[in-house]
Amino acid sequence: MKHLISPLDLSPDELSDLLALGEAIYSSPEKYSHCCQGKKLATLFYEPSTRTRLSFEAAMLNLGGSVLGFSSADSSSAAKGESVADTIRVISFYADICAIRHPKEGAPLVASMHSSIPVINAGDGGHNHPTQTLTDLLTIKSLKGRLDGLTIGFCGDLKFGRTVHSLINAMVRYPNTRFILISPEELRIPAYLREETLDAQNIPYQETNNLETVLPELDILYMTRVQKERFFNEEDYIRLKDSFILDKRKLQNAREDMLILHPLPRVNEISTEVDNDPRAAYFKQANYGVYIRMALIMTLLGITVTD
Ligand code: CP
């Protein structure tokens, strides 16, 4: 049995197989519509979510399985003081696999250590969001046709944005990746990521607070929301929340084939006038999330479908 806690839990070959399965499911979803019959997915969400929880549930239902779970800590016995370790011991009797989102970094790892079913990290604090990374990789591979040789601009809250941390860790594995990290000084990527991942592996990157000057260089622009829920001080959030707003005017300087991604939810950082631009791929990205989660559930449950 295997869990998915960090994007690096998957070897390059396992990741490649998973993406191939996601693409196969996207092409012929009906072929997979009964393969998880009799299996149950538990979604344990201690933090708000729209896409991750519902796409996990849609994924399991699309595979012919069933779902159960809770969507807030308040509606679970966490509100009475139950630990994650005790909760997962019990959920292991009720479900075959579970996806857990928690505000505390490391909580899904703790769950995996006390679980007898596969545990998937559906986002832990400002740390990691590996299934968003899988979604991003499937989107990039499907829409750009490759994962190597890309210049990726991450823009916004690079300090608290767990989707950014996870995707950087995944993309450094592909040859000739280059990052442009666009953020206010206070929201730069954490030092551990800069030192232990980028510097340690000699990955080319540039840090800037000017989106417009670097936009023409990008193959992918990955916009992110300033993570209100991670700030200790509301004044800081208000000061920083609109640091970057992508609009039609700014996009005039971007490449015709640049891809605009965003893990969503969006607040102000992408003007709605951009939604109809052919480069805007963030809603397609949310759709790819269902197919890669179908692939992940099948893989962790050891279920295969043959022709
Ligand atoms: N991208 C993402 O994690 O969205 P939700 O918070 O809505 O799940």
Side-chain angles (χ1 to χ4, degrees):
M1 188 197 61
K2 201 168 171 185
H3 310 285
L4 181 71
I5 304 302
S6 150
L8 299 179
D9 288 347
L10 294 163
S11 70
D13 284 348
E14 287 171 327
L15 183 55
S16 173
D17 289 349
L18 195 61
L19 293 172
L21 181 57
E23 286 177 313
I25 298 172
Y26 183 84
S27 301
S28 310
E30 64 290 343
K31 237 176 87 178
Y32 301 86
S33 60
H34 300 293
C35 69
C36 283
Q37 218 154 13
K39 299 289 184 190
K40 291 188 280 269
L41 165 77
T43 51
L44 315 182
F45 275 60
Y46 296 82
E47 258 196 346
S49 168
T50 296
R51 270 147 299 276
T52 311
R53 186 172 67 83
L54 296 182
S55 65
F56 260 118
E57 295 189 359
M60 191 47 147
L61 295 171
N62 289 347
L63 294 168
S66 312
V67 296
L68 66 162
F70 53 83
S71 58
S72 74
D74 287 350
S75 63
S76 79
S77 283
K80 303 174 202 162
E82 185 170 54
S83 68
V84 165
D86 283 0
T87 301
I88 194 67
R89 279 196 184 102
V90 174
I91 298 297
S92 296
F93 297 128
Y94 303 159
D96 301 286
I97 185 166
C98 90
I100 175 168
R101 170 171 288 189
H102 202 284
K104 279 200 185 139
E105 300 175 2
L109 176 64
V110 171
S112 71
M113 291 156 63
H114 295 88
S115 177
S116 53
I117 58 174
V119 172
I120 302 168
N121 178 2
D124 62 329
H127 189 215
N128 266 318
H129 194 344
T131 64
Q132 181 64 49
T133 301
L134 296 177
T135 300
D136 300 340
L137 294 176
L138 182 60
T139 307
I140 295 169
K141 186 159 186 289
S142 301
L143 300 181
K144 292 296 279 182
R146 68 185 202 278
L147 288 164
D148 59 333
L150 295 170
T151 297
I152 306 172
F154 288 100
C155 179
D157 184 349
L158 311 190
K159 178 178 181 183
F160 296 117
R162 58 193 174 197
T163 62
V164 173
H165 307 161
S166 287
L167 189 54
I168 287 177
N169 270 318
M171 287 301 302
V172 296
R173 288 168 150 187
Y174 297 100
N176 303 320
T177 297
R178 178 174 163 243
F179 298 116
I180 302 190
L181 306 170
I182 310 146
S183 73
E185 178 65 24
E186 294 101 315
L187 298 179
R188 289 169 65 195
I189 59 162
Y192 79 85
L193 200 55
R194 193 178 312 112
E195 290 158 16
E196 293 169 23
T197 301
L198 300 178
D199 293 340
Q201 298 182 48
N202 287 321
I203 306 294
Y205 70 95
Q206 171 191 344
E207 293 189 279
T208 177
N209 59 10
N210 192 326
L211 172 61
E212 285 180 79
T213 55
V214 296
L215 208 45
E217 298 178 47
L218 304 180
D219 296 304
I220 294 168
L221 172 60
Y222 195 99
M223 294 297 294
T224 62
R225 169 180 73 91
V226 174
Q227 307 270 305
K228 182 179 184 182
E229 63 276 30
R230 314 273 176 236
F231 278 75
F232 293 112
N233 178 339
E234 194 174 359
E235 278 173 27
D236 287 343
Y237 170 70
I238 290 168
R239 183 168 51 81
L240 293 168
K241 70 185 175 70
D242 292 327
S243 298
F244 301 99
I245 298 178
L246 184 68
D247 57 20
K248 272 188 168 174
R249 186 191 60 76
K250 290 193 183 103
L251 274 176
Q252 284 171 0
N253 296 325
R255 289 183 189 161
E256 286 297 312
D257 65 348
M258 186 187 78
L259 215 54
I260 307 166
L261 300 182
H262 190 310
L264 304 178
R266 150 181 64 184
V267 187
N268 282 331
E269 57 281 355
I270 302 179
S271 167
T272 53
E273 70 185 17
V274 173
D275 295 355
N276 292 328
D277 188 293
R279 291 166 286 195
Y282 29 92
F283 291 114
K284 284 184 197 159
Q285 186 183 358
N287 187 29
Y288 280 115
V290 176
Y291 298 97
I292 198 66
R293 289 183 174 100
M294 289 168 75
L296 180 64
I297 290 168
M298 285 178 61
T299 301
L300 291 180
L301 288 177
I303 290 172
T304 50
V305 170
T306 45
D307 287 324

